[in-house]
Amino acid sequence: MTCERDVGTFEEPVTVLLSSDKVSVSSTREAAEMVLYRWPIGETARRIQARMACMMVLGGGSSPDVARVAFLSAAKEAKILNA
């Protein structure tokens, strides 16, 4: 049985830097929560794409890779990606 937390798990986590906090994002749900509630910059096309990609995955319409790629792009734009 798969628990809800396992839905949309990324093959490789994405690490971002928020203020002085390093955060490892390892699932679509975590990415969605970050894009919705903890994003350091305002609304941009990449942020909207990341949010929509996460919703598609959580709704069962896409693979987690789609959300991960969109989240990576938005994190690069926001300059929070920990390279």
Side-chain angles (χ1 to χ4, degrees):
M1 182 173 174
T2 302
C3 74
E4 185 175 324
R5 180 140 169 84
D6 293 334
V7 174
T9 300
F10 295 162
E11 283 188 31
E12 183 179 337
V14 177
T15 303
V16 295
L17 298 171
L18 296 177
S19 301
S20 61
D21 193 21
K22 187 187 277 190
V23 180
S24 180
V25 178
S26 58
S27 72
T28 302
R29 182 171 304 285
E30 291 172 0
E33 288 173 358
M34 181 158 300
V35 169
L36 286 167
Y37 306 118
R38 299 182 67 192
W39 211 245
I41 64 172
E43 204 66 25
T44 66
R46 287 185 183 163
R47 182 180 180 193
I48 292 167
Q49 288 174 328
R51 187 169 56 235
M52 291 176 69
C54 288
M55 296 303 123
M56 291 272 300
V57 173
L58 293 172
S62 291
S63 78
D65 290 338
V66 172
R68 186 178 185 281
V69 168
F71 182 76
L72 270 171
S73 178
K76 284 179 188 174
E77 176 187 55
K79 296 180 173 48
I80 61 170
L81 187 63
N82 186 43

